[in-house]
Amino acid sequence: MLFLDDALDFIPEGVYYENMSTIGEYIKQKRKEIGLTQEEFAMRSGLGLRFVRELEQGKETVRLDKVNQALSMFGMEAVPGDRKEL
């Protein structure tokens, strides 16, 4: 499971998780770490290139099932939880 306060240590202290840009940044960072382009990531994850681009740009209106499909590439999952401050 993805608990953002544990997984995303590059977010400045005191920032709230208010939008999808946090998850998008995480996916972008991890994708680059394994050396995949957005196109390669889209193909391997079974997602569309447009979705991957929008997710990494922090689009607010994305489907959670597709977000989890992307996160599953890294053994992670987004789950509901209390909003926490870092």
Side-chain angles (χ1 to χ4, degrees), residues 26-65:
Y26 175 82
I27 290 171
K28 182 177 182 178
Q29 176 185 345
K30 292 303 217 177
R31 174 184 60 76
K32 288 183 174 186
E33 284 177 14
I34 60 174
L36 295 177
T37 65
Q38 286 181 328
E39 294 86 356
E40 292 167 332
F41 182 80
M43 291 282 289
R44 291 187 184 190
S45 65
L47 296 165
L49 177 57
R50 181 177 176 178
F51 177 82
V52 171
R53 286 181 176 157
E54 289 176 347
L55 177 61
E56 288 188 1
Q57 292 172 358
K59 182 178 179 186
E60 294 289 329
T61 55
V62 293
R63 290 179 33 188
L64 186 57
D65 62 327

